Amino acid sequence: MRDITHFIDGAPVASTSGRFGDVFNPNTGEIQARVGLATTAEVDAAVASALRAQQTWALVNPQRRARVMFEFKRLVEARMDELAELLSSEHGKVIADSKGDIQRGLEVIEFACGIPHALKGEYTEGAGPGIDVYSMRQPLGVAAGITPFNFPAMIPMWMFGIAIAVGNSFILKPSEKDPSVPNRLAELMMEAGAPKGVLNVVHGDKLAVDALLDHPDVKAVSFVGSSDIAQYVYSRGTANGKRVQAMGGAKNHGIILPDADLEQATKDIIGAAYGSAGERCMALPVVVPVGRKTADEVRERVLAELETLKVGVSTDAAAQYGPVVSEAHRKRVTDYIQLGVDEGAELVVDGRGFSLQGYEKGFFIGPTLFDQVKPTMKTYQEEIFGPVLQIVRAETFEEALALPSEHQYGNGVAIFTRNGRAAREFAARVNVGMVGINVPIPVPVAYHTFGGWKRSAFGDANQHGMEGVRFYTKVKTITARWPEGAVEDSAFVIPTMR
């Protein structure tokens, strides 16, 4: 049995807790490794290492920190195949999708390579008589990230790339379901030239999370996961005086207007709903055709596409998606499918009986399709996070607009149309944080920011882009003058710039 260790102070560190989490191969259902779950003392050791490292790292000029990011990017790209295979072996997503996971993380690293420019402050000469005012951005100290199983490369890089580039050190607490890639990323960061302790990886469960949220030397925490846990992390972290950004769940809608290119829209929705077995916070698990004719045609086109969709093992280059991450998650998804039936939705395609020859113990679920789903149904209101697509029919544009706007989640939404005015109005009015216009998965590019609304995000700062720079730094503003001549009398009123 392979043991997966922590990575603290630049080296592997075995856990002494005696507690372990099983790491499965989702394709076969077999346990392939175990990961040590941290004690509070091990979290403390990681924070102590990060604190020592940060005091020196913050003094390194931004250009040299950027060079470490350049080298880290080169090393990850050189090991893309190795990392993708490792990621797929623990998560279950197909190799091509794992490479996309890594690449989207690297795009934020590319942004971090330009950190000398992003860190420039502001300067006003002559704000008053002989007075200049300027500002600078300084690192917070030790930051931490708590990341989910569905993107074990991308989301950690979203967080630590910018945090480290601006001069912080970082502690990553990844999902215990697929922990190996985060360890490799930390090793590559050391190889790229970051001092030991600048990036630590601590594996664990709620005990480790609480230890990070409570530790006085951790100044900021970034989280991605379910909404209930996001709210908990935000509440506990801010109560301890920390900056917290906590991204939660999603129920993203794809609105299809009658004038849309239905062939392209259907293909886009199939990929967005079933890619990575639906285990994406930016998936499109709800399609909303406007008008009965549109709905009937979309349904028939989806059915035709599902007949050609191939589910396979992660290493099958012809497979569109692989297994879900664990047996527990497979059961969760199949329970939701049964709930949909019980609620009265029409189960058009049932993926619960899917089995792959030779991999009967793998965590596979076939593509599932519901029609006649109503907004009052629990399966519509909650995030299923599996290969399940729901059709919610709308009669008008206004009805379609109201569905994502009134939903508890507000992460992403897409509209498919040829009508520029309708798309513009929809984008302006919809109560959702990220909008795609004929784009099924509207994840912004790395130099913009990622973040949802409502119960999809807690806190007022988004991920990456300049929002990330602002989250991981604090602003210091200096008002300076250099007087000449006689000493002036003390002033007893607030100074003004006359």
Side-chain angles (χ1 to χ4, degrees):
M1 178 66 64
R2 177 169 60 95
D3 279 355
I4 299 170
T5 65
H6 310 307
F7 189 83
I8 299 173
D9 207 38
V13 176
S15 178
T16 60
S17 69
R19 299 185 306 122
F20 296 90
D22 291 332
V23 179
F24 291 88
N25 180 337
N27 299 286
T28 64
E30 298 172 340
I31 298 172
Q32 59 168 309
R34 65 178 190 172
V35 58
L37 305 178
T39 64
T40 301
E42 287 163 352
V43 173
D44 290 345
V47 175
S49 169
L51 191 60
R52 289 193 301 270
Q54 195 273 332
Q55 292 168 359
T56 302
W57 180 242
L59 300 177
V60 175
N61 71 60
Q63 190 169 0
R64 290 186 179 276
R65 294 200 300 262
R67 288 171 184 166
V68 172
M69 292 296 151
F70 274 110
E71 180 62 9
F72 175 74
K73 175 180 176 291
R74 186 192 71 79
L75 291 170
V76 172
E77 287 173 337
R79 290 158 177 80
M80 178 68 76
D81 291 343
E82 167 204 330
L83 290 168
E85 289 170 8
L86 183 59
L87 195 159
S88 290
S89 73
E90 293 182 352
H91 177 278
K93 64 177 73 176
V94 296
I95 297 290
D97 200 20
S98 290
K99 290 182 177 180
D101 183 335
I102 298 164
Q103 183 57 43
R104 288 309 295 259
L106 280 178
E107 289 170 6
V108 175
I109 300 300
E110 289 176 339
F111 174 82
C113 289
I115 209 67
H117 178 76
L119 277 178
K120 289 192 301 185
E122 299 173 321
Y123 194 100
T124 299
E125 181 183 17
I131 296 175
D132 301 327
V133 180
Y134 59 97
S135 64
M136 59 182 72
R137 289 199 167 271
Q138 296 183 325
L140 302 175
V142 178
I146 303 164
T147 57
F149 74 84
N150 58 326
F151 286 99
M154 180 184 79
I155 294 177
M157 284 192 274
W158 277 8
M159 296 178 185
F160 72 63
I162 294 176
I164 291 172
V166 301
N168 299 294
S169 56
F170 199 86
I171 300 167
L172 174 63
K173 206 301 288 182
S175 170
E176 64 275 19
K177 293 182 174 67
D178 43 12
S180 292
V181 166
N183 275 15
R184 284 293 293 131
L185 294 176
E187 291 168 357
L188 293 175
M189 184 62 76
M190 299 301 101
E191 189 176 340
K196 65 181 183 179
V198 163
L199 177 56
N200 299 285
V201 181
V202 175
H203 303 289
D205 50 13
K206 185 176 183 296
L207 188 152
V209 170
D210 287 348
L212 289 169
L213 293 174
D214 294 342
H215 202 294
D217 289 326
V218 175
K219 301 303 181 183
V221 176
S222 183
F223 172 87
V224 176
S226 70
S227 288
D228 288 344
I229 305 301
Q231 187 169 15
Y232 170 82
V233 167
Y234 181 77
S235 298
R236 186 157 179 164
T238 53
N240 285 321
K242 303 182 191 310
R243 289 190 182 184
V244 182
Q245 53 178 191
M247 307 298 167
K251 193 76 172 188
N252 306 321
H253 295 57
I255 314 300
I256 303 182
L257 299 190
D259 69 330
D261 181 336
L262 294 186
E263 181 179 2
Q264 183 63 57
T266 301
K267 288 182 179 298
D268 285 346
I269 284 170
I270 290 291
Y274 297 108
S276 196
E279 296 172 316
R280 294 173 178 157
C281 64
M282 290 301 289
L284 272 187
V286 178
V287 59
V288 184
V290 177
R292 180 175 179 179
K293 181 180 177 182
T294 307
D296 289 344
E297 186 171 349
V298 167
R299 170 174 165 152
E300 292 308 309
R301 287 180 177 274
V302 168
L303 281 170
E305 289 290 330
L306 291 186
E307 290 178 1
T308 67
L309 195 153
K310 182 178 180 182
V311 181
V313 296
S314 329
T315 54
D316 183 352
Q320 274 84 33
Y321 76 83
V324 296
V325 71
S326 68
E327 176 58 29
H329 191 64
R330 191 186 74 83
K331 184 179 185 304
R332 178 180 182 275
V333 174
T334 57
D335 285 349
Y336 268 116
I337 295 172
Q338 183 58 50
L339 178 60
V341 174
D342 296 341
E343 289 180 316
E346 180 189 356
L347 182 57
V348 183
V349 178
D350 187 352
R352 289 176 293 180
F354 181 87
S355 180
L356 194 63
Q357 186 175 2
Y359 297 90
E360 288 81 6
K361 293 184 179 180
F363 308 138
F364 294 94
I365 305 173
T368 298
L369 175 66
F370 279 102
D371 196 359
Q372 303 297 338
V373 175
K374 307 300 180 185
T376 55
M377 294 178 177
K378 188 175 181 181
T379 51
Y380 167 77
Q381 296 166 356
E382 297 183 359
E383 183 177 36
I384 298 175
F385 220 60
V388 180
L389 177 61
Q390 297 172 296
I391 299 176
V392 180
R393 296 172 178 238
E395 291 300 320
T396 65
F397 174 86
E398 291 295 331
E399 185 182 346
L401 173 66
L403 285 166
S405 294
E406 295 173 2
H407 202 281
Q408 67 166 325
Y409 296 123
N411 206 42
V413 68
I415 185 169
F416 299 89
T417 180
R418 291 186 174 96
N419 187 321
R421 182 172 181 177
R424 185 174 183 271
E425 181 180 353
F426 181 87
R429 292 176 58 194
V430 71
N431 186 24
V432 173
M434 292 175 283
V435 181
I437 298 174
N438 299 312
V439 174
I441 304 179
V443 179
V445 293
Y447 43 90
H448 285 261
T449 66
F450 177 102
W453 292 359
K454 297 176 283 188
R455 281 186 55 78
S456 290
F458 298 86
D460 56 3
N462 283 355
Q463 298 272 355
H464 62 69
M466 285 306 297
E467 281 278 286
V469 174
R470 285 187 280 270
F471 179 75
Y472 288 113
T473 58
K474 53 193 174 187
V475 177
K476 181 179 289 182
T477 305
I478 297 94
T479 303
R481 70 173 179 175
W482 302 99
E484 297 179 1
V487 176
E488 299 177 7
D489 292 335
S490 298
F492 292 92
V493 296
I494 191 168
T496 57
M497 299 299 177
R498 290 183 298 174

